[in-house]
Amino acid sequence: MTEARDQVDDHVARWAVFWHDNPAFVPEVEGALVRMGQILRHMRRADAVAFADAEDFTQEDYRTLHALMVQPYPIEASPAQLADATHVTRAAMTRRLDRLVAAGLVHREVDATDRRRIIIRPTTEGRAAWNRYIFEGMARDQQLLAALSPDELLQLNALLRKVMVALD
């Protein structure tokens, strides 16, 4: 991570020299955005590594289960809802669901009130897989931000929330 930090510092320093006479360039803004991008890339790489050893369970499987598990009670969704939630095509979601059904992690049911509608629900094994991977992910996320004290995490969240509110 030291190398990434140095690269960000070098990046910002180069631009600061290049734009030294231009008041539109604010090194603190550039630095914050580049650092946030680096943190997200680090997080994505760590997640990819975590799923690399899973033989029959992919990161896409996890994302699909996660989208299903965070649906409002009862935990169920249509394939179209899951496709929208995971930002994939409906055809891609069908393939994902076929894999998850074959693995015994979800099951498809015909909606009793509308036989044209399919409902996806997690199985006990699907809930267990989701629990395992979500808590492993939480541990990775906590390690990622371990350099911050609890008070600093509160401050970071307040600042990020402020930026998010301004985006609306």
Side-chain angles (χ1 to χ4, degrees):
M1 197 65 179
T2 301
E3 183 179 324
R5 183 192 64 228
D6 292 344
Q7 288 174 350
V8 170
D9 292 343
D10 291 347
H11 169 89
V12 174
R14 279 193 312 274
W15 281 107
V17 168
F18 186 79
W19 294 106
H20 74 279
D21 289 332
N22 190 328
F25 178 74
V26 180
E28 294 79 13
V29 171
E30 181 73 12
L33 294 174
V34 172
R35 285 179 180 91
M36 284 189 278
Q38 288 283 354
I39 291 166
L40 290 174
R41 277 189 288 286
H42 179 83
M43 186 179 72
R44 287 186 198 112
R45 282 192 302 270
D47 286 346
V49 167
F51 286 93
D53 293 336
E55 293 178 19
D56 294 328
F57 193 74
T58 67
Q59 198 167 8
E60 290 77 21
D61 294 335
Y62 169 76
R63 287 183 182 137
T64 303
L65 268 179
H66 182 72
L68 179 59
M69 296 299 290
V70 299
Q71 294 295 314
Y73 183 80
I75 298 171
E76 65 181 35
S78 71
Q81 289 169 320
L82 291 172
D84 291 345
T86 56
H87 309 288
V88 299
T89 65
R90 291 175 186 204
M93 182 52 62
T94 297
R95 287 189 299 277
R96 286 184 182 189
L97 291 173
D98 287 346
R99 260 195 334 267
L100 291 171
V101 167
L105 300 175
V106 301
H107 52 88
R108 289 181 172 109
E109 296 177 12
V110 174
D111 187 340
T113 61
D114 182 352
R115 297 198 46 82
R116 297 170 296 174
R117 185 171 184 260
I118 301 295
I119 299 173
I120 307 299
R121 290 197 174 98
T123 63
T124 301
E125 295 82 8
R127 289 173 194 253
W130 179 75
N131 273 327
R132 174 180 165 213
Y133 284 98
I134 195 160
F135 285 110
E136 288 177 5
M138 286 179 192
R140 285 190 305 279
D141 294 345
Q142 290 168 21
Q143 182 62 39
L144 181 71
L145 296 174
L148 301 177
S149 71
D151 286 342
E152 289 170 327
L153 277 172
L154 288 172
Q155 185 179 17
L156 175 63
N157 273 286
L159 294 169
L160 292 172
R161 188 176 300 110
K162 189 175 181 177
V163 172
M164 294 295 298
V165 167
L167 295 176
D168 292 339

